Amino acid sequence: MLRYVAVRLVTLLVSLVLAAVVVFVVLRLLPGDSAGTTLGVGTTTDQLDQLRSELGTDQSSLAQLGDWAGALLTGDLGTSFVSRLPVGELITSKLPITVPLSLAAFVLSVLVSVPLGVVAAVKRRGVVGAAVSAVSQLGVAVPVFWVGVLLVWIFALRLGVLPPGGFPRQGWDDPAAAVRSLVLPVVTVSIAMSSVMVRYVRSATLDVLDQDYVRTARSLGYGRWQALARHGLRNGAVPVVAILGIELATSLLGAVVIENVFALPGLGTLLLDSVTGRDLPVVQALVLAITAVVLVVNFGVDLLQRAIDPRLRLGSTLGAAGGSR
């Protein structure tokens, strides 16, 4: 197991390095000029050349990549082309909005989707199971931004019980206002995530219900729910943990759309504004950070699955032993 963890850590580091190179190359292939976008129309050639020299974009791509990689090794994410502020400072200032939004939406979606998915599987031949499946399919089909607009129309414009968007200037110094401003975005993201997870939980539970050990438990006098709780949940948790990890990692990506729908000044809004303004250091840092989160979460999910299912640990051990022979 330790050998497996070491190999996975090396793979994680290599993946991060490759991701950094890919992000850098792809951004340099995009059309447009950061200096021209920053200065706007009506600028002279001398002004453009001077700004390119200040930003370092007049150097070769290889030299720029070397400078960026060297700065990353020291923990320096660079300086914004637009605001001239440190990129790390810009990202840190947005975390108190995006992180609570993503985590709260994930927790809410887990609390909703796991019980509903199990109910949809156990009651699959009844009205309840069919209704849960139908609603989850509808949630997958409906665009997330449309759900956000609909919730704003109902709860903000019609009922007036929640703000339609924005974030208080005081931030979390006014916790009540901050929480109220995140309610609709959290519900919007959780609806989209729950719709996907319900389907996976239902499928995993159905696979468990068809296993011999569950039928054996039923023949010994256990009820359906009791047999599932005592013998099925752990086995069904392995594929469910995988989809939960994917949803947790990609919840940050949903912020790009949702934060703009609700006018939240978080990482999603920062990323979109930086792409529009060709603020390359900010875009590079944000995309690399999101990629790193996805890789780290997948690494954690892989280890958690092996902790839940001993058969996976046995498989990796046998594989290592076979390789040594």
Side-chain angles (χ1 to χ4, degrees), residues 204-218 231-232 235-236 311:
T205 306
L206 286 175
D207 289 340
V208 169
L209 290 174
D210 292 334
Q211 297 299 319
D212 291 338
Y213 54 80
V214 174
R215 288 196 291 266
T216 301
R218 294 291 306 279
H231 302 285
N235 292 278
R311 294 172 298 180

Side-chain angles (χ1 to χ4, degrees), residues 286-322:
L286 282 174
V287 174
L288 184 60
I290 293 174
T291 304
V293 169
V294 173
L295 293 174
V296 171
V297 169
N298 287 338
F299 172 73
V301 166
D302 201 4
L303 296 183
L304 182 58
Q305 286 179 316
R306 278 161 173 74
I308 294 174
D309 193 344
R311 294 172 298 180
L312 296 177
R313 298 198 299 271
L314 180 61
S316 60
T317 303
L318 292 176

Side-chain angles (χ1 to χ4, degrees), residues 1 32 79 97 100 115 150 194 205 213 241 279 290 306 315 321:
M1 188 62 183
T79 303
I97 298 175
L150 181 62
S194 298
T205 306
Y213 54 80
V241 166
D279 197 349
I290 293 174
R306 278 161 173 74

Side-chain angles (χ1 to χ4, degrees), residues 1 4-5 8-9 11-13 15-16 106 238-253 289-307 312:
M1 188 62 183
Y4 174 81
V5 172
R8 289 287 292 148
L9 282 174
T11 304
L12 175 63
L13 293 176
S15 300
L16 285 174
F106 175 75
V238 175
V240 172
V241 166
I243 187 59
L244 290 181
I246 293 174
E247 291 296 321
L248 175 60
T250 56
S251 63
L252 290 174
L253 301 178
I290 293 174
T291 304
V293 169
V294 173
L295 293 174
V296 171
V297 169
N298 287 338
F299 172 73
V301 166
D302 201 4
L303 296 183
L304 182 58
Q305 286 179 316
R306 278 161 173 74
L312 296 177

Side-chain angles (χ1 to χ4, degrees), residues 66-90:
D67 292 341
W68 185 51
L72 284 178
L73 292 177
T74 62
D76 183 10
L77 298 179
T79 303
S80 169
F81 286 171
V82 177
S83 65
R84 304 302 177 90
L85 295 174
V87 175
E89 180 180 322
L90 286 174

Side-chain angles (χ1 to χ4, degrees), residues 31-43:
D33 179 31
S34 299
T37 304
T38 302
L39 293 177
V41 296
T43 56

Side-chain angles (χ1 to χ4, degrees), residues 20-91:
V21 175
V22 170
V23 168
F24 181 89
V25 172
V26 169
L27 289 178
R28 293 311 185 279
L29 293 177
L30 295 177
D33 179 31
S34 299
T37 304
T38 302
L39 293 177
V41 296
T43 56
T44 65
T45 303
D46 291 339
Q47 290 174 325
L48 288 174
D49 291 340
Q50 180 180 355
L51 183 57
R52 291 190 186 109
S53 178
E54 294 176 0
L55 300 179
T57 56
D58 59 337
Q59 303 178 19
S60 66
S61 297
L62 187 60
Q64 293 181 53
L65 177 58
D67 292 341
W68 185 51
L72 284 178
L73 292 177
T74 62
D76 183 10
L77 298 179
T79 303
S80 169
F81 286 171
V82 177
S83 65
R84 304 302 177 90
L85 295 174
V87 175
E89 180 180 322
L90 286 174
I91 294 177

